[in-house]
PDB file of all heavy atoms in Angstrom:
ATOM      1  N   PRO A  34       5.600   1.496   7.313  1.00 97.00           N
ATOM      2  CA  PRO A  34       6.661   0.642   7.869  1.00 97.00           C
ATOM      3  C   PRO A  34       6.973  -0.546   6.954  1.00 97.00           C
ATOM      4  O   PRO A  34       6.087  -1.079   6.280  1.00 97.00           O
ATOM      5  CB  PRO A  34       6.065   0.159   9.198  1.00 97.00           C
ATOM      6  CG  PRO A  34       5.028   1.177   9.549  1.00 97.00           C
ATOM      7  CD  PRO A  34       4.482   1.682   8.250  1.00 97.00           C
ATOM      8  N   ASP A  35       8.234  -0.958   6.935  1.00 96.00           N
ATOM      9  CA  ASP A  35       8.670  -2.039   6.054  1.00 96.00           C
ATOM     10  C   ASP A  35       8.019  -3.373   6.369  1.00 96.00           C
ATOM     11  O   ASP A  35       7.976  -4.258   5.515  1.00 96.00           O
ATOM     12  CB  ASP A  35      10.194  -2.179   6.092  1.00 96.00           C
ATOM     13  CG  ASP A  35      10.890  -1.021   5.405  1.00 96.00           C
ATOM     14  OD1 ASP A  35      10.268  -0.360   4.543  1.00 96.00           O
ATOM     15  OD2 ASP A  35      12.057  -0.758   5.747  1.00 96.00           O
ATOM     16  N   ASP A  36       7.505  -3.538   7.589  1.00 97.00           N
ATOM     17  CA  ASP A  36       6.877  -4.815   7.943  1.00 97.00           C
ATOM     18  C   ASP A  36       5.383  -4.864   7.604  1.00 97.00           C
ATOM     19  O   ASP A  36       4.715  -5.861   7.859  1.00 97.00           O
ATOM     20  CB  ASP A  36       7.109  -5.151   9.413  1.00 97.00           C
ATOM     21  CG  ASP A  36       6.491  -4.122  10.364  1.00 97.00           C
ATOM     22  OD1 ASP A  36       6.016  -3.060   9.904  1.00 97.00           O
ATOM     23  OD2 ASP A  36       6.496  -4.384  11.579  1.00 97.00           O
ATOM     24  N   TRP A  37       4.847  -3.801   7.001  1.00 97.00           N
ATOM     25  CA  TRP A  37       3.452  -3.790   6.559  1.00 97.00           C
ATOM     26  C   TRP A  37       3.278  -4.804   5.438  1.00 97.00           C
ATOM     27  O   TRP A  37       4.167  -4.989   4.604  1.00 97.00           O
ATOM     28  CB  TRP A  37       3.084  -2.385   6.077  1.00 97.00           C
ATOM     29  CG  TRP A  37       1.673  -2.246   5.573  1.00 97.00           C
ATOM     30  CD1 TRP A  37       0.560  -2.034   6.330  1.00 97.00           C
ATOM     31  CD2 TRP A  37       1.236  -2.282   4.219  1.00 97.00           C
ATOM     32  NE1 TRP A  37      -0.552  -1.940   5.521  1.00 97.00           N
ATOM     33  CE2 TRP A  37      -0.163  -2.087   4.211  1.00 97.00           C
ATOM     34  CE3 TRP A  37       1.870  -2.458   2.995  1.00 97.00           C
ATOM     35  CZ2 TRP A  37      -0.930  -2.067   3.048  1.00 97.00           C
ATOM     36  CZ3 TRP A  37       1.121  -2.449   1.831  1.00 97.00           C
ATOM     37  CH2 TRP A  37      -0.273  -2.255   1.870  1.00 97.00           C
ATOM     38  N   VAL A  38       2.128  -5.473   5.418  1.00 98.00           N
ATOM     39  CA  VAL A  38       1.841  -6.439   4.354  1.00 98.00           C
ATOM     40  C   VAL A  38       0.490  -6.135   3.730  1.00 98.00           C
ATOM     41  O   VAL A  38      -0.365  -5.464   4.328  1.00 98.00           O
ATOM     42  CB  VAL A  38       1.847  -7.891   4.885  1.00 98.00           C
ATOM     43  CG1 VAL A  38       3.235  -8.285   5.360  1.00 98.00           C
ATOM     44  CG2 VAL A  38       0.818  -8.100   5.975  1.00 98.00           C
ATOM     45  N   CYS A  39       0.288  -6.632   2.536  1.00 98.00           N
ATOM     46  CA  CYS A  39      -0.976  -6.454   1.827  1.00 98.00           C
ATOM     47  C   CYS A  39      -2.109  -7.016   2.687  1.00 98.00           C
ATOM     48  O   CYS A  39      -2.035  -8.162   3.145  1.00 98.00           O
ATOM     49  CB  CYS A  39      -0.919  -7.190   0.487  1.00 98.00           C
ATOM     50  SG  CYS A  39      -2.485  -7.125  -0.423  1.00 98.00           S
ATOM     51  N   PRO A  40      -3.154  -6.221   2.914  1.00 97.00           N
ATOM     52  CA  PRO A  40      -4.243  -6.692   3.770  1.00 97.00           C
ATOM     53  C   PRO A  40      -5.055  -7.839   3.165  1.00 97.00           C
ATOM     54  O   PRO A  40      -5.767  -8.527   3.877  1.00 97.00           O
ATOM     55  CB  PRO A  40      -5.111  -5.457   3.984  1.00 97.00           C
ATOM     56  CG  PRO A  40      -4.656  -4.443   3.034  1.00 97.00           C
ATOM     57  CD  PRO A  40      -3.313  -4.822   2.522  1.00 97.00           C
ATOM     58  N   LEU A  41      -4.933  -8.062   1.856  1.00 98.00           N
ATOM     59  CA  LEU A  41      -5.693  -9.143   1.242  1.00 98.00           C
ATOM     60  C   LEU A  41      -4.919 -10.444   1.130  1.00 98.00           C
ATOM     61  O   LEU A  41      -5.443 -11.506   1.418  1.00 98.00           O
ATOM     62  CB  LEU A  41      -6.187  -8.732  -0.159  1.00 98.00           C
ATOM     63  CG  LEU A  41      -7.202  -7.592  -0.210  1.00 98.00           C
ATOM     64  CD1 LEU A  41      -7.678  -7.387  -1.644  1.00 98.00           C
ATOM     65  CD2 LEU A  41      -8.383  -7.868   0.699  1.00 98.00           C
ATOM     66  N   CYS A  42      -3.650 -10.361   0.699  1.00 98.00           N
ATOM     67  CA  CYS A  42      -2.924 -11.614   0.439  1.00 98.00           C
ATOM     68  C   CYS A  42      -1.667 -11.791   1.288  1.00 98.00           C
ATOM     69  O   CYS A  42      -1.069 -12.853   1.272  1.00 98.00           O
ATOM     70  CB  CYS A  42      -2.584 -11.738  -1.046  1.00 98.00           C
ATOM     71  SG  CYS A  42      -1.335 -10.575  -1.624  1.00 98.00           S
ATOM     72  N   GLY A  43      -1.236 -10.748   2.008  1.00 98.00           N
ATOM     73  CA  GLY A  43      -0.144 -10.890   2.960  1.00 98.00           C
ATOM     74  C   GLY A  43       1.268 -10.738   2.421  1.00 98.00           C
ATOM     75  O   GLY A  43       2.219 -10.965   3.152  1.00 98.00           O
ATOM     76  N   VAL A  44       1.425 -10.338   1.153  1.00 98.00           N
ATOM     77  CA  VAL A  44       2.785 -10.141   0.636  1.00 98.00           C
ATOM     78  C   VAL A  44       3.332  -8.790   1.100  1.00 98.00           C
ATOM     79  O   VAL A  44       2.593  -7.903   1.502  1.00 98.00           O
ATOM     80  CB  VAL A  44       2.849 -10.246  -0.910  1.00 98.00           C
ATOM     81  CG1 VAL A  44       2.434 -11.630  -1.364  1.00 98.00           C
ATOM     82  CG2 VAL A  44       2.014  -9.183  -1.581  1.00 98.00           C
ATOM     83  N   GLY A  45       4.645  -8.619   1.005  1.00 98.00           N
ATOM     84  CA  GLY A  45       5.302  -7.398   1.464  1.00 98.00           C
ATOM     85  C   GLY A  45       5.224  -6.256   0.469  1.00 98.00           C
ATOM     86  O   GLY A  45       4.750  -6.400  -0.662  1.00 98.00           O
ATOM     87  N   LYS A  46       5.717  -5.109   0.927  1.00 98.00           N
ATOM     88  CA  LYS A  46       5.699  -3.892   0.116  1.00 98.00           C
ATOM     89  C   LYS A  46       6.445  -4.047  -1.207  1.00 98.00           C
ATOM     90  O   LYS A  46       6.131  -3.359  -2.170  1.00 98.00           O
ATOM     91  CB  LYS A  46       6.330  -2.738   0.886  1.00 98.00           C
ATOM     92  CG  LYS A  46       5.489  -2.190   2.003  1.00 98.00           C
ATOM     93  CD  LYS A  46       6.211  -1.116   2.794  1.00 98.00           C
ATOM     94  CE  LYS A  46       6.607   0.063   1.952  1.00 98.00           C
ATOM     95  NZ  LYS A  46       7.258   1.126   2.739  1.00 98.00           N
TER      96      LYS A  46
END
Side-chain angles (χ1 to χ4, degrees):
D35 289 336
D36 62 352
W37 179 84
V38 295
C39 176
L41 294 185
C42 70
V44 298
K46 287 176 60 178

